[in-house]
Amino acid sequence: MSWTHRRRWTSAVLCGVSLALAATACSSGKESDTAANGPQHQTGAISLVYAQKQGDQEYFIGEAEGAKAKAKELGVDLKVVNLGNDANKAVTEVNNAINQKATGVIVVVPDPSVGPQVAQLTKTGGVALLTSDDQVCTTGPDPAKCAKDQLVPRVGFSGTQMGTEVGRRAGEDFKKAGWKPEETAIVDAWKQDVTVCTDRVQANKKAFREAAGVDVKVIDVGTDNTPSDAQNKISATVAGNRSVKNWIVMGCNDENVSGGVAAIQNAGYAADNVLGVGLGAYLACKEWRGGKPTGFKAALFINGKDVGALAVQTIYDYLKNGKAMPAEAFAPTTMVDSSTWQQAGVPCS
């Protein structure tokens, strides 16, 4: 090999090593590697798509408002899409975002089973991915069975923390009411394939036992997380348990508790015999605003606006400044009831 050829060959090898080292540095095991699909350090305009399940729900409406306000503040072009409960639409809208040259996608998937497909699409398309509210796994349909380093970074609330606060409040109110455990039953209602819902419910059960100091019969009810489905399913539960004198209602969100409280009161139980503790407060406040007796006694206020704003800020910082997206980032929560919800700033449209 001539000196000239040897020198060219050596330079090529060194360049290859340098590129390999650079690639290694870019995937050094930081929390954000799972979603580090998009180009970082954007010098031009940033465009985002926020694709939400159940976009007509109060919480997600607030989330969209918070996202839009933060995007305007940062000079980001933001498009919000309502996926409803259509998992296939989530895939379609992510594809649309890629085709429209979006630099980032924030998604609340209607069903976690499409998570791997969404993650692969954004990775192939070179688009940054962040989830809000619900977890998404890049390698399988069930985030609960996913290795932590394969979960897409998420902005939202801590399911365990929220469930703990709900269960603690329910346990404390149960003690104050003086109800007998053998005459009482707990309905815990949630969409059972949504990981964050399961986290909340497991935590509320544990916290209730600790706060109440006794065991109370628990009836798990699977729903689609809507008030109507919760009401239908819990109506059947109540009909099959007429010996129960007092009901406690908890679940994944305000929808489940609202539907549960309505079902129990429609079955002839007085508001004083129902203890519902919601999660969201956006439906609970409507009960309190009317001033009528209700079994909806308290709710954990989670402000969707905070989550939407935090999600946009998080993906912006990643794209604009190369700041790693944390595995999870949480917004604050506040427990409210009929006497405190207005002071806490719960929006009640």
Side-chain angles (χ1 to χ4, degrees), residues 6-336:
R6 186 180 295 111
R7 184 171 59 186
R8 288 174 181 169
W9 179 84
T10 303
S11 298
V13 170
L14 289 173
C15 287
V17 170
S18 298
L19 288 171
L21 289 172
T24 302
C26 289
S27 57
S28 57
K30 291 181 180 179
E31 294 170 324
S32 61
D33 284 350
T34 302
N37 308 325
Q40 300 175 55
H41 301 290
Q42 287 283 302
T43 55
I46 291 177
S47 61
L48 303 175
V49 171
Y50 208 134
Q52 305 171 299
K53 71 177 183 183
Q54 299 173 333
D56 57 350
Q57 186 191 93
E58 292 285 346
Y59 169 80
F60 291 113
I61 291 172
E63 185 175 78
E65 291 174 353
K68 290 174 182 177
K70 178 58 69 172
K72 183 177 181 181
E73 175 190 326
L74 297 173
V76 168
D77 178 30
L78 175 70
K79 178 183 178 182
V80 177
V81 179
N82 178 13
L83 304 175
N85 288 306
D86 189 344
N88 292 327
K89 189 174 182 181
V91 176
T92 300
E93 291 298 340
V94 169
N95 253 326
N96 289 342
I98 294 168
N99 292 335
Q100 292 163 10
K101 308 301 182 184
T103 43
V105 172
I106 306 167
V107 64
V108 191
V109 291
D111 189 316
S113 63
V114 299
Q117 189 174 357
V118 167
Q120 185 58 50
L121 283 171
T122 54
K123 181 177 181 180
T124 303
V127 175
L129 176 64
L130 175 68
T131 64
S132 72
D133 305 289
D134 299 340
Q135 287 182 316
V136 163
C137 179
T138 63
T139 55
D142 186 355
K145 299 177 181 177
C146 190
K148 288 187 177 181
D149 62 353
Q150 297 303 318
L151 290 169
V152 176
R154 179 179 78 91
V155 169
F157 299 98
S158 165
T160 299
Q161 176 198 349
M162 290 192 297
T164 297
E165 293 190 51
V166 168
R168 183 185 298 124
R169 176 61 181 255
E172 291 170 350
D173 285 1
F174 165 80
K175 289 176 69 175
K176 290 177 183 177
W179 292 348
K180 295 179 180 179
E182 63 271 19
E183 296 178 347
T184 305
I186 297 171
V187 170
D188 240 327
W190 79 105
K191 193 172 189 295
Q192 297 176 350
D193 62 351
V194 176
T195 309
V196 293
C197 284
T198 301
D199 290 343
R200 297 172 191 180
V201 169
Q202 289 177 343
N204 74 38
K205 291 176 181 176
K206 180 182 178 183
F208 178 88
R209 285 194 302 271
E210 292 173 350
V214 295
D215 285 324
V216 172
K217 178 182 177 181
V218 179
I219 303 171
D220 291 334
V221 178
T223 74
D224 65 3
N225 278 351
T226 65
S228 58
D229 194 51
Q231 184 169 342
N232 290 336
K233 299 289 177 56
I234 294 172
S235 290
T237 299
V238 173
N241 292 272
R242 294 303 302 187
S243 61
V244 174
K245 293 184 178 180
N246 307 298
W247 288 96
I248 296 167
V249 188
M250 299 185 289
C252 178
N253 54 19
D254 255 26
E255 282 77 5
N256 281 291
V257 177
S258 177
V261 168
I264 296 167
Q265 292 188 179
N266 287 346
Y269 287 84
D272 287 345
N273 296 104
V274 186
L275 200 175
V277 181
L279 207 161
Y282 43 83
L283 295 183
C285 68
K286 295 179 181 180
E287 296 283 324
W288 302 329
R289 185 175 59 188
K292 296 180 181 179
T294 175
F296 214 143
K297 297 301 193 297
L300 188 67
F301 175 35
I302 55 175
N303 194 340
K305 289 184 179 180
D306 291 341
V307 173
L310 183 58
V312 170
Q313 184 71 62
T314 298
I315 200 167
Y316 174 87
D317 288 341
Y318 169 72
L319 289 167
K320 199 73 175 179
N321 307 313
K323 182 180 178 181
M325 289 192 280
E328 291 188 297
F330 301 133
T333 60
T334 307
M335 184 63 70
V336 296

